[in-house]
Amino acid sequence: IETEYSKEKIADLKVDTKLRKILVPVDFSHYSFIAADIATHIANKLDAEIHLLHAYFNPVVNIAPLFDANTYPANMNNVVESIELKAKEQLIDFEEKILQNVKQFTDKEIIIKHSLIFGTAADTILYLCEDYKPDLVVMGTKGKGDRADDIVGSVTNKVIKNSNIPVLVIPQKFEYNNFDEIKNILYVTDFDDSDYRAIWKLASLISPFEMKLYCLHIGETSEIFWGKSKMDVLKPHIKRTFPKISLSC
């Protein structure tokens, strides 16, 4: 069990714990503003930059089958340009609101960039994950087009399943007055290979903050002995690697 959390195995993974770039997909909703606000607090502590992303969809894709192959609606170019222009104005306004909000909690300059890209939201986010190579994606559980009874929206679900970048998902009903109110982090472990990378990434993310990390394993009664044994190894491993983190397992 000891070898599963050895320094040699971690070194073999070549885990980079330095968080430098945060990608924040936005749809200009209240929920994406909260996600962006949380991202700025993380960026402030970790000296990271933020990249806001908004994807807009061309209506031509949906209406094209209604027209003959040689026919094109005369005003469609104007419609597409109007959609792009409106999205650009909204994105610039959104960025300005975020910058104004940053000034309320820090004097430090946080670099915020933005991209406006044509395409469906999930595919565009996954594309920028490959191209921009962020260290973290921060987004809401749902977007404007998701159903009310969805626990996790279709876009967020697709990004989580298909991206190899850590995704911090902000629940739709999450409300807070001050980022410093967030004190506890729960990490659920299955004691598999994903623990090595996930724990390092998570610990490096929360280490600058005054947060307590709780580790939880859920298993069958017959697994109690091995579960406890592995947890007894995991806990000192985290403490050795990140001694400043308050930990409970």
Side-chain angles (χ1 to χ4, degrees):
I1 297 173
E2 289 281 358
T3 59
E4 293 187 9
Y5 297 100
S6 67
K7 292 182 179 179
E8 290 75 16
K9 187 155 189 177
I10 293 295
D12 289 341
L13 289 171
K14 298 179 180 178
V15 179
D16 183 4
T17 60
K18 178 66 175 177
L19 196 151
R20 303 178 182 87
K21 298 188 290 186
I22 303 174
L23 176 63
V24 185
V26 300
D27 61 4
F28 313 128
S29 65
H30 171 67
Y31 309 112
S32 63
F33 182 85
I34 292 176
D37 181 56
I38 289 176
T40 58
H41 281 83
I42 296 173
N44 180 53
K45 284 284 189 179
L46 302 178
D47 294 322
E49 70 174 35
I50 290 176
H51 195 123
L52 303 175
L53 166 66
H54 177 70
Y56 70 99
F57 194 64
N58 189 332
V60 173
V61 175
N62 288 332
I63 69 169
L66 302 177
F67 296 90
D68 182 85
N70 297 318
T71 305
Y72 188 80
N75 67 336
M76 188 51 61
N77 280 334
N78 292 334
V79 172
V80 174
E81 289 177 4
S82 176
I83 291 173
E84 182 179 2
L85 181 61
K86 182 178 179 181
K88 185 175 181 180
E89 291 174 349
Q90 288 178 300
L91 185 55
I92 292 173
D93 288 344
F94 187 92
E95 180 179 340
E96 183 58 34
K97 289 179 182 178
I98 293 298
L99 287 170
Q100 290 300 320
N101 200 55
V102 166
K103 294 178 181 179
Q104 297 181 24
F105 66 83
T106 182
D107 293 328
K108 188 188 301 182
E109 181 181 359
I110 297 177
I111 298 174
I112 300 180
K113 304 176 181 178
H114 67 256
S115 289
L116 178 65
I117 301 178
F118 160 73
T120 57
D123 290 337
T124 303
I125 295 167
L126 291 170
Y127 160 75
L128 207 58
C129 282
E130 289 292 326
D131 186 64
Y132 177 58
K133 300 187 184 335
D135 301 293
L136 178 69
V137 177
V138 182
M139 61 191 300
T141 50
K142 300 182 191 177
K144 287 182 176 179
D146 290 312
R147 298 182 321 194
D149 57 346
D150 287 336
I151 297 176
V152 177
S154 57
V155 172
T156 305
N157 190 42
K158 186 173 181 179
V159 172
I160 292 172
K161 286 184 175 180
N162 293 281
S163 175
N164 60 356
I165 307 297
V167 181
L168 176 59
V169 179
I170 311 303
Q172 189 176 22
K173 294 183 179 181
F174 176 70
E175 294 183 2
Y176 72 108
N177 296 317
N178 191 312
F179 186 80
D180 292 332
E181 294 176 357
I182 304 173
K183 295 295 185 181
N184 302 311
I185 302 290
L186 177 64
Y187 178 79
V188 182
T189 175
D190 237 354
F191 305 121
D192 57 26
D193 283 350
S194 65
D195 275 342
Y196 316 131
R197 192 177 301 275
I199 288 172
W200 274 59
K201 283 288 187 180
L202 177 60
S204 63
L205 174 63
I206 69 172
S207 56
F209 302 96
E210 295 181 4
M211 296 181 180
K212 185 169 185 176
L213 177 62
Y214 291 84
C215 293
L216 172 68
H217 173 70
I218 302 172
E220 301 290 338
T221 305
S222 58
E223 300 174 347
I224 290 179
F225 173 76
W226 283 108
K228 186 177 184 304
S229 297
K230 290 187 174 183
M231 190 66 83
D232 287 343
V233 173
L234 177 61
K235 183 175 180 178
H237 161 74
I238 298 175
K239 291 298 292 182
R240 285 194 306 268
T241 310
F242 296 94
K244 294 182 180 180
I245 288 181
S246 178
L247 180 66
S248 177
C249 295

